[in-house]
Amino acid sequence: MALTPSLLWSAFPGLALQCSNFTPPILPDAQVLSITSHPVYNLTLPLAIPGLPTNLPPLTFCNVTVTLTHGTANDTVFVTVALPPRERWNGRYQATGGGGLAAGYDHSLVVPVLSGFAASFTDGGLTLNHTIDPQSGEWGMNNDGTLNRDLMLNLAWRSIHDMALASKHVIHEFYGKPANYSYWNGCSQGGRQGYAAAAKYPTDFDGILAMAPGLSMEYIGPADFWPVVVMANEGQLVPPCVFDAFQRAIVETCDPLDGAVDELLSDYDLLLSCHFDPQTLVGTKVGCEDTETMITATQARIVGKILDGPRTPEGNKLWYGLAPGATFSGIAGTRSINKALVPVPFVPALGWLKYMVLRDANYDFTKMSYAEYFEAFNTSVTIGASFLGADPLNISAFHSAGGKLLSWVGLADEYIPPSSLLNYHDQIATSLGSYSATHEFYRVFTAPGVGHCQGGNGPQPLNAMTALVDWVEHGRAPETLPAGTNSANGKVISRDLCLYPKKPVYLEGRADEEGSFACEEAPTELEPSVDRCAMIIMM
């Protein structure tokens, strides 16, 4: 979606005059190349934009673009700021993040602006001056085959700070005063960017909403390519219908553990509490389009390896496997072309390995051996740890500055295992001595049945940003997050999401009704650390 003006007039005739004559911001670590602006009147959005509600009203705002570069980096970074008319501004600023290998998206500005926020996003220079889709990963490799460390740094955290400073300058000029409060909003890569902002620039934002954060991308990148390697080396591609049968079986096995059979897996420690053996499905017949197939022992072995996650021949576990109950199609996708199955790798994972790790645009990843994969995995960790790893993200200064960090994660996340976030939270709690001390500024909620950022069968958080604003501005920390969704049979499912480490427990009544579950009491003391990487899947 391009944020371009329509020819329609609006109820804000003074917007054109206000939306002009901006002065370039002064940035300590970057040089501003240009600043342009124009009013946008009654912008009608396309009918379907992923992640956005349908039937949104038209948008009217001042669109400002700041173009900048970083010394010898030879990069061109675009920061776009969307400013609602003064009559509609709520006095707040909201920065938005990206996803996958992208630093930001223009459509992420829509909901904040409609809600009265001044909002911004940045491409971080990763579009190479609007010539590529950053999800391809092409930006990660220089023409001479070396790693583009400047753009890696931009994605890691530098572009976040540039955007915040430039946006606050523009907001001050447009409204004649600074924003009363500044917020971050991002999911996946955008969630990781939120944690990076808290760690590297602890005073940039008063509140950070970081959903399903891609912490430790140096592990996530190669781990999300693991299913493709497994199928190639086990000599068989698994059709979607077979993967779906395994997903249904996992849900049927683990669903009753919370006391209700509702197709939602509520326990974030399912790797420890629910034992599923893929071999039990061997010989089962599955309907696939216009034919029927029988699940093989090889397919069961492949599923077991995907659920277990990448593990070396010596048995060393490198990262988490697919979350129990998550769809396989995200990172283990296959499809039929001319009646032949072909793998459908997760695009950012392929781009990460292709352009950042091996830096070989022509490498045939469908033939990657286990040995080559494990070597690439080690290279990924070496390259990515200092830029995109979780270890450098110390959020203690954000705590000291009075900031609030709110996260939620879908327990059926198909791309980023929820355990990675929960372990990070436990590390913070351990450093502070208790969950209660952590919850003074940092809270994580778990969403049963919800996929990556959205989707799945579970209730989606409804007003997470509202909860964060209430926490920041009024000191009312959320104990639960309201959530809801429409089920496949048309029923409305309502449920409050629990504050980690609490878990939902069924009480009584219909499982899809609000109040049928309660959040169990959290432990008063920190529990002994559990290894959520431990192999629980029976092979």
Side-chain angles (χ1 to χ4, degrees):
M1 181 192 72
L3 296 180
T4 55
S6 75
L7 298 179
L8 299 176
W9 193 242
S10 76
F12 305 99
L15 183 62
L17 180 61
Q18 298 163 12
C19 188
S20 61
N21 300 321
F22 288 93
T23 61
I26 298 175
L27 306 177
D29 299 315
Q31 300 79 50
V32 174
L33 302 175
S34 68
I35 182 168
T36 60
S37 61
H38 62 261
V40 177
Y41 297 105
N42 299 321
L43 174 68
T44 302
L45 303 173
L47 291 178
I49 300 176
L52 288 184
T54 56
N55 301 319
L56 290 172
L59 282 169
T60 294
F61 58 96
C62 173
N63 190 68
V64 182
T65 299
V66 179
T67 307
L68 57 92
T69 189
H70 299 92
T72 60
N74 196 31
D75 59 348
T76 303
V77 178
F78 298 97
V79 175
T80 297
V81 189
L83 305 163
R86 292 174 182 173
E87 299 88 336
R88 290 186 176 178
W89 186 43
N90 63 18
R92 303 179 181 99
Y93 162 51
Q94 185 177 147
T96 65
L101 297 178
Y105 308 108
D106 56 3
H107 64 253
S108 66
L109 305 183
V110 172
V111 172
V113 171
L114 285 173
S115 301
F117 288 85
S120 66
F121 88 97
T122 178
D123 78 335
L126 310 186
T127 64
L128 302 184
N129 211 355
H130 300 316
T131 62
I132 67 164
D133 180 351
Q135 300 293 11
S136 69
E138 293 178 40
W139 57 265
M141 185 174 70
N142 293 314
N143 292 334
D144 62 1
T146 58
L147 181 69
N148 193 325
R149 294 183 176 274
D150 285 304
L151 293 187
M152 287 282 283
L153 179 60
N154 283 0
L155 177 62
W157 53 74
R158 183 165 62 181
S159 65
I160 301 168
H161 190 49
D162 290 337
M163 172 174 59
L165 294 181
S167 300
K168 289 179 181 181
H169 169 88
V170 168
I171 289 169
H172 197 166
E173 286 207 335
F174 184 76
Y175 297 110
K177 61 180 181 179
N180 297 322
Y181 296 94
S182 296
Y183 294 92
W184 175 271
N185 185 356
C187 191
S188 192
Q189 177 67 256
R192 185 210 61 81
Q193 290 170 301
Y195 279 76
K200 300 297 181 180
Y201 310 106
T203 60
D204 275 0
F205 302 103
D206 301 295
I208 292 174
L209 177 59
M211 303 163 286
L215 303 173
S216 300
M217 279 195 62
E218 75 275 28
Y219 292 94
I220 295 171
D224 278 356
F225 198 73
W226 171 244
V228 177
V229 175
V230 169
M231 286 188 282
N233 284 269
E234 298 299 322
Q236 189 171 138
L237 293 175
V238 181
C241 55
V242 172
F243 275 136
D244 291 344
F246 278 101
Q247 183 187 8
R248 289 193 298 271
I250 293 169
V251 172
E252 289 172 3
T253 302
C254 303
D255 185 11
L257 295 181
D258 60 10
V261 178
D262 56 359
E263 298 185 358
L264 302 181
L265 309 187
S266 300
D267 187 354
Y268 52 74
D269 270 336
L270 281 174
L271 291 179
L272 302 174
S273 62
C274 184
H275 298 252
F276 171 73
D277 182 1
Q279 294 295 328
T280 58
L281 264 64
V282 174
T284 302
K285 292 182 179 179
V286 178
C288 299
E289 296 179 353
D290 56 353
T291 186
E292 191 175 61
T293 187
M294 184 177 291
I295 294 177
T296 67
T298 299
Q299 290 171 338
R301 186 169 62 252
I302 289 170
V303 167
K305 286 179 176 290
I306 293 172
L307 294 172
D308 185 40
R311 188 183 291 272
T312 68
E314 296 75 29
N316 297 322
K317 193 167 178 63
L318 301 178
W319 193 243
Y320 311 93
L322 183 70
T327 178
F328 286 80
S329 60
I331 60 174
T334 59
R335 66 179 176 182
S336 177
I337 298 180
N338 297 325
K339 297 186 177 180
L341 273 181
V342 296
V344 183
F346 181 43
V347 171
L350 177 60
W352 174 261
L353 285 175
K354 204 171 186 179
Y355 293 100
M356 282 75 156
V357 177
L358 296 183
R359 296 190 292 282
D360 182 352
N362 299 314
Y363 189 89
D364 186 356
F365 283 87
T366 63
K367 299 177 181 178
M368 191 178 217
S369 69
Y370 280 133
E372 291 171 325
Y373 175 80
F374 293 128
E375 183 178 354
F377 201 109
N378 289 335
T379 302
S380 176
V381 172
T382 300
I383 288 173
S386 60
F387 290 107
L388 302 170
D391 288 344
L393 302 184
N394 184 336
I395 59 176
S396 59
F398 183 71
H399 180 200
S400 300
K404 308 300 182 188
L405 174 54
L406 176 62
S407 283
W408 67 261
V409 62
L411 294 182
D413 193 315
E414 64 272 37
Y415 297 116
I416 301 175
S419 294
S420 64
L421 170 61
L422 304 184
N423 276 353
Y424 179 89
H425 179 278
D426 284 350
Q427 292 171 16
I428 299 299
T430 299
S431 69
L432 294 176
S434 69
Y435 289 123
S436 59
T438 305
H439 292 162
E440 290 178 4
F441 82 106
Y442 175 31
R443 297 187 171 215
V444 172
F445 295 83
T446 57
V450 176
H452 185 61
C453 298
Q454 61 181 343
N457 296 322
Q460 324 278 315
L462 298 176
N463 298 298
M465 178 55 73
T466 301
L468 177 61
V469 169
D470 200 32
W471 188 12
V472 168
E473 299 179 20
H474 304 290
R476 292 189 285 261
E479 295 297 331
T480 58
L481 281 185
T485 192
N486 293 318
S487 66
N489 58 12
K491 292 183 179 179
V492 177
I493 302 176
S494 298
R495 185 180 300 181
D496 286 342
L497 305 185
C498 296
L499 172 65
Y500 176 80
K502 294 182 180 181
K503 298 178 182 180
V505 176
Y506 175 70
L507 298 176
E508 60 182 358
R510 282 175 38 184
D512 57 0
E513 292 181 337
E514 187 175 1
S516 58
F517 281 79
C519 298
E520 70 174 11
E521 287 303 312
T524 55
E525 300 293 335
L526 282 168
E527 295 178 327
S529 245
V530 295
D531 179 11
R532 293 194 178 92
C533 257
M535 177 182 178
I536 298 300
I537 304 300
M538 299 171 61
M539 301 295 291

